[in-house]
Amino acid sequence: MSNPTNMGSVKQASLTVMVDNKADLIVESSDQVKYFTDEPLLAEHGYSVLIQLEDSENKILWDAGVSRVALMENFHRMKLDVTSIEKIALSHGHLDHYAAMTDLLVEMDLLPQDKEWDASVKAEEIKEWIEGSRIPIVAHPAAFRERWWQKDDDNLVGPFLPPPDQEWQSIGAKIVLSEEPHQLAPGCWTTGYIPRTSFEKTGRSKELRYRNGSDFVPDDLEDDQAIVINIEGKGLIILSGCAHSGIVNTITYASEIFNIDRIYAVIGGFHLARASDDEIEQTIEYIRSIEPTLVIPSHCTGFGAISRFSQEMPDEFIEGVVGTTYLL
């Protein structure tokens, strides 16, 4: 990978969790962690985060949950405007991260209305006008694979259909495919493909396959990516989706991309729900060693691993709850 010489930075960011596995109305807010308790929110086995950089009115959406219900209902209950979303990034092509995307795009009402054009208009001008209303969805190309599960007896279970990219494009999305880091805004990037160099194995099952023509190919979930935000004077925020490539690999690669060792916050799914005690302990030891200010394991991290983070890193640990806004 050829890194850009300057990845940029932001002075501050706020991250609002729109979908997560847990809801809670009796949590207490702090100056840095604001819980939404005005009315109940919906929780589900999915993930989505709304990112606002500095004081910009425009926002970035990270993923879209596992159902067509929770994301949109939580937007409405929190009285947040979906039309303020300027870009969308997809962590990977699993249903629990994209299910509400179609409904979101429909509510954003992105398709241009017909208008009268001067007879001298050029086709390029019309195309530019149409494309200007589209919202980019940034993803790794492998996110759109048709996926399968191969059982011990070699029988196949599937298909698990890919995200409906053509449907999304028909209602106003522009699919942006990138295997490399992609800039969402100065100081805010997707990682693209994350190299797998650590001890981590749990997030990538040997039974996973994807169909390539008539062949069923081992699927190493190459589409798994994270968002990295560089906060001036504080360090990097690493926002994962499921961290199928491993949260340790994700952190180390994010640090390599930005050439910054200081990690401020690690947030999102760590995919440790089915991990061995040894893998959980190695993960906690690594994250403790980099001395982040905040550690917020959520979604697919699993109760056992989350409990151990809370016990072994009590000063850094924050429990992930839907509707939380982190002011970073």
Side-chain angles (χ1 to χ4, degrees), residues 23-45:
D24 195 337
L25 282 175
I26 55 173
V27 284
E28 294 187 5
S29 297
S30 66
D31 290 341
Q32 193 171 36
V33 181
K34 304 293 184 182
Y35 294 106
F36 181 86
T37 56
D38 293 356
E39 60 176 301
L41 298 178
L42 302 186
E44 64 179 16
H45 182 84

Side-chain angles (χ1 to χ4, degrees), residues 18-73:
M18 301 305 303
V19 177
D20 202 351
N21 293 38
K22 183 177 180 180
D24 195 337
L25 282 175
I26 55 173
V27 284
E28 294 187 5
S29 297
S30 66
D31 290 341
Q32 193 171 36
V33 181
K34 304 293 184 182
Y35 294 106
F36 181 86
T37 56
D38 293 356
E39 60 176 301
L41 298 178
L42 302 186
E44 64 179 16
H45 182 84
Y47 202 56
S48 179
V49 176
L50 189 65
I51 302 167
Q52 183 174 6
L53 302 176
E54 300 182 329
D55 296 324
S56 171
E57 292 299 318
N58 296 318
K59 300 178 178 68
I60 299 166
L61 185 70
W62 178 235
D63 288 344
V66 73
S67 76
R68 296 178 57 187
V69 179
L71 178 66
M72 302 312 302
E73 187 65 24

Side-chain angles (χ1 to χ4, degrees), residues 1-282:
M1 184 200 74
S2 57
N3 293 348
T5 55
N6 183 8
M7 306 291 279
S9 63
V10 298
K11 293 182 179 179
Q12 61 185 19
S14 67
L15 279 63
T16 299
V17 180
M18 301 305 303
V19 177
D20 202 351
N21 293 38
K22 183 177 180 180
D24 195 337
L25 282 175
I26 55 173
V27 284
E28 294 187 5
S29 297
S30 66
D31 290 341
Q32 193 171 36
V33 181
K34 304 293 184 182
Y35 294 106
F36 181 86
T37 56
D38 293 356
E39 60 176 301
L41 298 178
L42 302 186
E44 64 179 16
H45 182 84
Y47 202 56
S48 179
V49 176
L50 189 65
I51 302 167
Q52 183 174 6
L53 302 176
E54 300 182 329
D55 296 324
S56 171
E57 292 299 318
N58 296 318
K59 300 178 178 68
I60 299 166
L61 185 70
W62 178 235
D63 288 344
V66 73
S67 76
R68 296 178 57 187
V69 179
L71 178 66
M72 302 312 302
E73 187 65 24
N74 289 343
F75 260 106
H76 299 156
R77 294 187 186 191
M78 295 178 74
K79 297 179 173 59
L80 296 173
D81 181 9
V82 297
T83 64
S84 68
I85 299 170
E86 185 179 57
K87 293 179 182 177
I88 299 171
L90 184 64
S91 65
H92 62 300
H94 285 173
L95 182 66
D96 50 332
H97 295 262
Y98 74 78
M101 194 76 75
T102 297
D103 295 78
L104 175 79
L105 295 170
V106 168
E107 184 156 327
M108 292 181 75
D109 192 22
L110 296 162
L111 295 178
Q113 300 298 313
D114 60 323
K115 58 180 280 189
E116 183 174 344
W117 298 83
D118 187 90
S120 63
V121 68
K122 296 181 180 179
E124 291 78 9
E125 292 179 56
I126 298 175
K127 181 179 180 181
E128 183 178 351
W129 177 74
I130 292 173
E131 292 299 314
S133 67
R134 294 183 176 276
I135 186 168
I137 298 179
V138 180
H140 187 284
F144 298 95
R145 288 172 171 169
E146 177 191 286
R147 291 185 146 118
W148 293 73
W149 183 269
Q150 188 170 51
K151 299 171 65 177
D152 291 341
D153 60 7
D154 291 335
N155 286 342
L156 292 163
V157 179
F160 304 106
L161 297 177
D165 56 332
Q166 293 186 359
E167 179 179 77
W168 294 350
Q169 290 179 83
S170 72
I171 51 178
K174 177 182 179 182
I175 306 299
V176 179
L177 301 178
S178 180
E179 298 180 5
E180 296 280 323
H182 182 89
Q183 180 174 279
L184 300 171
C188 179
W189 294 66
T190 61
T191 60
Y193 173 78
I194 298 169
R196 291 88 195 279
T197 58
S198 75
F199 56 86
E200 298 162 293
K201 304 294 182 185
T202 302
R204 308 186 315 278
S205 173
K206 294 180 180 179
E207 287 77 26
L208 292 174
R209 299 289 183 272
Y210 69 90
R211 187 170 65 85
N212 184 12
S214 59
D215 296 326
F216 293 88
V217 183
D219 185 0
D220 199 40
L221 295 170
E222 290 92 341
D223 47 325
D224 178 73
Q225 61 177 351
I227 285 179
V228 189
I229 306 170
N230 181 21
I231 305 292
E232 288 182 15
K234 294 181 178 180
L236 302 180
I237 298 169
I238 288 109
L239 175 62
S240 67
C242 266
H244 283 287
S245 52
I247 193 62
V248 172
N249 285 326
T250 302
I251 295 167
T252 55
Y253 187 56
S255 181
E256 177 187 328
I257 292 170
F258 275 83
N259 195 27
I260 293 174
D261 292 331
R262 188 176 180 185
I263 307 301
Y264 182 53
V266 185
I267 306 171
F270 296 178
H271 215 283
L272 294 169
R274 296 178 178 175
S276 66
D277 288 345
D278 182 61
E279 184 168 336
I280 293 172
E281 189 57 39
Q282 286 187 74

